Amino acid sequence: MAFRDEWLRARAVAWKDLMAERRSKAGFNSVAALGVTILVLFGFALGPDAEAIRAAAPGALWLAALFAGVLAFNRSYQVELDGGALEPLLMYPGARRSIFAGKLLANFVFVFLLLVIVIAVSLVLFHITVPSTWPRLLLVVLLGEVGLVTLGTFYAAMASRSRAREVLLPLLLFPMLVPVLLAAMQATKALLVGDVMHDAGAWTSLLVAYDVIFLISTFLAFDYVIEA
Amino acid sequence: MTAAAAFTLEVPKSGRWPIFGWFAVLFLAGAQITAFAISPPDRDMGDLQKILYVHVPAAWNMGICYLLVAIYSFRYLWKRDDRDDLIAASAAEVGTLLNGLTLVLGMIWARPTWGVWWVWDARLTSTLIMFLVFAGYLALRAFVEEPDRRALWSAVAGIMGAINYPIVYMSVRWWRTIHQVQSTPSTLDPTYTFSLRLNAVAVLFILIYFIRRRYEAALTERVTEQLSQAAALGGPLHA
Amino acid sequence: MPEMIASNGYYVAAAYAVGWICILGYLLRLHSLLRRSREALAHARTIGGAP
């Protein structure tokens, strides 16, 4: 079945990326260290006042994940470009979108592990108490991550193959990520303070809609991006 | 798509466009003078209302520019005609210019009206995000040299940017539940509406002139690139 | 309030000044771009032969 073939291809690409990442080791450790550093810097920026720090924690958490994640997105093509391995990869039979799906999957796992560390550190640094609604919080984190990783992986396919990729990726990606970050931050904030206004649900639906729209459009557009 | 299609491009001619340029500039000046002459000062806003005769037309025409970017980007993906790519790029540049103008004029209007230069309301914020999205689009074009790759990627980035606009608008609106109710023309003085539309048409002429001439320059550059490429590859060119 | 309207005049003047600087500035840039692109084309023709 065609779908099963595509899934197997995507899984192979993801497995290859993750193994390469695991063997290099330096990649994930330094990105995670950067994420923690950003959290500490936010702590200094927001002052010693415990209440102010707690109130700003959702924003700091997502921004730390974003800034550290950007490095991961560029890396995911960089290793192949440096080794001249992207062209051979594109020459394999089958739809190109399975390559995108594979990279997406690998980045999802990578950023998920990053988020685990970032969230664990922010729980300590920002005096967050885990609410009883933590499964919903986990859902929000995963949905927000899907949006982040989808657009990140997509724009990195362009930016990493241009001049000045370090500047171009954030410049293209951050404005596009405004809605997903806004929704993820607001939903996280609502769930952490107990959702008295009952707006976590609305933000979560917005996240779902956003994820669906951008998953479909990036899958449709990836063929054009990788072709050139 | 490179060499074969390349030589079908012709050097664009200026034709009567310089005359149209003078007409557009003079028409804009005339429209502004007319607006000043016929519309009385607003009851609430006083003379500040006159800022809107530039601000609102700039905002509308910015929308037209971005719509053109989306249309010609789709057309490029469909037909793969280099000229569509250059039109989209020209429209994006003019759109970004009008976008910046809209933002600055909005701030100049907001300061005496609301007491602050900036309000995080849905329309303002999404206009600012659009400016950043298209600044990214122009940077993408600047950082990618290979013409076919640049055309494909910027077409995709332009379409994605256009899709992003309603989503940003909705999410910022939910974030800031207080937003200004959009004033409809029926509640306004008829001379105000007329002046606004007259100025919108004037800015539209300016826009047409700008996009046409920017396209002309871009196409000339492209033809030059192909000529020198062909000359470098195999002596004098006969096409 | 006349004093308020008088001070508002500066904002209106500033707005129109910004508008015209923006439009005329882009116009000048556009024309120099057009001139340079035509010169480059003429130069390329002298090297590569007239099309």
Side-chain angles (χ1 to χ4, degrees):
Chain A
M1 219 176 98
F3 181 75
R4 195 182 136 76
D5 286 350
E6 284 195 20
W7 161 244
L8 288 177
R9 274 189 215 109
R11 208 180 60 177
V13 172
W15 187 249
K16 171 190 75 66
D17 278 9
L18 287 171
M19 284 315 281
E21 203 58 65
R22 200 175 89 94
R23 292 197 180 126
S24 78
K25 286 192 182 74
F28 181 76
N29 293 351
S30 43
V31 170
L34 178 71
V36 174
T37 312
I38 293 169
L39 285 179
V40 174
L41 292 180
F42 269 117
F44 288 132
L46 300 167
D49 178 33
E51 269 317 303
I53 283 186
R54 194 179 295 139
L61 190 160
W62 279 105
L63 287 184
L66 171 69
F67 292 147
V70 166
L71 297 181
F73 303 142
N74 257 337
R75 278 180 61 82
S76 89
Y77 295 90
Q78 201 48 47
V79 180
E80 267 154 1
L81 285 169
D82 289 347
L86 194 64
E87 263 87 54
L89 186 65
L90 293 176
M91 274 187 251
Y92 279 107
R96 263 85 182 266
R97 59 174 174 268
S98 46
I99 297 173
F100 182 61
K103 296 232 165 262
L104 206 60
L105 209 59
N107 280 338
F108 185 83
V109 174
F110 189 95
V111 175
F112 181 76
L113 295 176
L114 175 72
L115 270 169
V116 168
I117 292 175
V118 166
I119 289 173
V121 173
S122 14
L123 287 179
V124 179
L125 289 183
F126 296 152
H127 317 293
I128 301 170
T129 40
V130 179
S132 57
T133 54
W134 65 267
R136 286 187 64 193
L137 198 58
L138 184 68
L139 179 71
V140 166
V141 168
L142 289 177
L143 287 172
E145 198 208 330
V146 170
L148 177 69
V149 169
T150 305
L151 282 179
T153 311
F154 179 75
Y155 279 104
M158 298 191 219
S160 63
R161 289 192 288 155
S162 73
R163 289 192 294 131
R165 55 175 168 271
E166 290 82 5
V167 191
L168 194 54
L169 181 59
L171 198 56
L172 286 172
L173 181 59
F174 290 1
M176 296 296 290
L177 274 176
V178 165
V180 80
L181 285 175
L182 189 59
M185 285 171 187
Q186 294 303 312
T188 310
K189 190 181 265 175
L191 288 169
L192 283 181
V193 299
D195 199 11
V196 276
M197 303 291 284
H198 296 288
D199 49 6
W203 286 114
T204 313
S205 343
L206 184 73
L207 267 180
V208 172
Y210 182 93
D211 287 355
V212 169
I213 291 170
F214 277 104
L215 270 172
I216 293 172
S217 53
T218 50
F219 265 93
L220 288 175
F222 187 73
D223 271 358
Y224 294 114
V225 170
I226 207 74
E227 157 190 333
Chain B
M1 203 47 26
T2 48
F7 300 118
T8 59
L9 290 181
E10 277 175 28
V11 182
K13 297 206 166 51
S14 295
R16 295 219 174 92
W17 284 100
I19 303 168
F20 182 77
W22 281 108
F23 163 74
V25 169
L26 292 175
F27 189 89
L28 179 66
Q32 290 184 350
I33 293 168
T34 312
F36 265 76
I38 66 170
S39 64
D42 189 80
R43 186 159 35 83
D44 303 321
M45 289 186 241
D47 284 334
L48 283 176
Q49 175 223 36
K50 296 196 162 50
I51 296 177
L52 300 184
Y53 296 140
V54 203
H55 171 70
V56 177
W60 287 346
N61 284 289
M62 168 199 98
I64 293 176
C65 281
Y66 289 154
L67 202 62
L68 285 175
V69 175
I71 291 170
Y72 279 95
S73 297
F74 268 117
R75 212 180 114 98
Y76 178 78
L77 292 184
W78 178 33
K79 301 242 169 137
R80 299 296 169 95
D81 186 336
D82 279 354
R83 286 170 297 186
D84 291 335
D85 168 54
L86 297 179
I87 295 175
S90 309
E93 197 177 291
V94 177
T96 315
L97 176 85
L98 288 175
N99 197 339
L101 189 61
T102 306
L103 285 170
V104 172
L105 292 176
M107 287 177 195
I108 295 175
W109 180 81
R111 173 67 202 177
T113 313
W114 294 333
V116 282
W117 294 102
W118 184 259
V119 172
W120 289 91
D121 121 295
R123 264 192 290 171
L124 265 69
T125 311
S126 40
T127 308
L128 177 60
I129 302 294
M130 258 348 237
F131 183 76
L132 297 174
V133 166
F134 279 90
Y137 175 96
L138 294 177
L140 177 71
R141 294 194 70 93
F143 286 136
V144 180
E145 262 104 35
E146 210 277 298
D148 288 343
R149 175 181 278 195
R150 180 176 58 207
L152 266 178
W153 288 3
S154 47
V156 168
I159 294 168
M160 296 283 281
I163 294 174
N164 200 30
Y165 179 79
I167 304 176
V168 173
Y169 184 87
M170 286 307 296
S171 45
V172 179
R173 220 173 95 170
W174 279 357
W175 176 53
R176 291 268 314 182
T177 33
I178 25 164
H179 57 272
Q180 248 210 328
V181 183
Q182 201 165 348
S183 46
T184 49
S186 60
T187 62
L188 292 164
D189 190 78
T191 58
Y192 170 74
T193 320
F194 171 75
S195 303
L196 211 55
R197 285 183 185 154
L198 184 70
N199 276 277
V201 172
V203 178
L204 182 69
F205 286 155
I206 295 276
L207 173 157
I208 292 170
Y209 179 72
F210 277 0
I211 293 181
R212 174 57 179 70
R213 299 291 271 184
R214 183 68 188 82
Y215 165 67
E216 196 180 314
L219 193 55
T220 310
E221 268 173 19
R222 178 62 61 87
V223 173
T224 310
E225 257 170 48
Q226 284 166 356
L227 266 177
S228 36
Q229 220 167 29
L233 286 177
L237 173 80
H238 306 286
Chain C
M1 279 177 282
E3 72 276 11
M4 195 184 143
I5 286 169
S7 70
N8 281 349
Y10 292 116
Y11 287 103
V12 177
Y16 278 83
V18 167
W20 278 102
I21 288 169
C22 212
I23 287 170
L24 294 179
Y26 189 77
L27 204 63
L28 290 177
R29 202 189 87 93
L30 194 57
H31 280 265
S32 86
L33 197 67
L34 273 166
R35 207 190 53 243
R36 268 184 288 133
S37 70
R38 286 210 201 93
E39 282 168 7
L41 180 67
H43 181 67
R45 273 175 176 162
T46 57
I47 294 174

